[in-house]
Amino acid sequence: VNAEYMGADVGHVIAVHVTPVRNDGMQGDTVVVQTDSPIDAGGPAVLAMKLNFDSDCVAGHSVRADVQYCGGQEGESVVQWFRSDEQGGSYTLLDGPLNARSRMLGLEDINRKIKCTFTPVRSDGARGTPTSRESAFVQSA
């Protein structure tokens, strides 16, 4: 039997009661099968990440990092924003509110790319692999 476990299952032993039934309707004895140990949350991870703009990639508009997290109860995941050089190759970490999942694009972002890096962190402090997404070059309004 294959099963997909949910967050509420973490820390619990799962038991399945199976009663075999033949084609003619004759039932066999019910069998109970259970996991050997409680369900583990697994490591914190990013299932999906996307940068969403409230309009276009234009100064004066905001950009938001939409992240789908998995791996137990999310803790204080780390969000960092970067700005590229004019060629879009080298990035510099931006100042701003710690772990903000959105930011306003400013005049200093014009003709630069914006990158967001998300490091998933579980509530017990376990860290997953960082995931990054970058924008196109920011345009003037």
Side-chain angles (χ1 to χ4, degrees):
V1 175
N2 290 328
E4 186 173 315
Y5 301 112
M6 308 307 260
D9 298 326
V10 172
H12 294 87
V13 172
I14 304 298
V16 178
H17 297 253
V18 179
T19 304
V21 180
R22 293 191 322 206
N23 289 343
D24 64 2
M26 181 66 102
Q27 290 187 356
D29 293 334
T30 299
V31 178
V32 179
V33 180
Q34 71 181 35
T35 57
D36 293 331
S37 59
I39 301 300
D40 183 21
V46 174
L47 288 179
M49 180 175 175
K50 182 177 178 183
L51 293 182
N52 285 311
F53 298 87
D54 65 358
S55 178
D56 292 320
C57 185
V58 175
H61 294 269
S62 66
V63 59
R64 181 182 69 248
D66 289 331
V67 179
Q68 189 177 359
Y69 170 92
C70 72
Q73 182 68 37
E74 185 176 3
E76 292 195 30
S77 294
V78 178
V79 181
Q80 296 174 298
W81 293 92
F82 301 84
R83 180 184 302 119
S84 76
D85 59 17
E86 291 180 354
Q87 291 75 38
S90 177
Y91 284 87
T92 303
L93 179 63
L94 298 174
D95 291 330
L98 184 63
N99 297 331
R101 293 198 188 192
S102 66
R103 71 177 303 274
M104 186 65 68
L105 298 173
L107 296 176
E108 63 279 2
D109 298 321
I110 295 174
N111 296 323
R112 315 279 178 137
K113 291 181 179 182
I114 297 298
K115 179 169 73 172
C116 180
T117 298
F118 182 91
T119 304
V121 178
R122 199 170 51 208
S123 60
D124 64 0
R127 297 170 76 91
T129 303
T131 300
S132 296
R133 295 293 180 265
E134 69 179 34
S135 71
F137 284 97
V138 177
Q139 305 298 310
S140 59

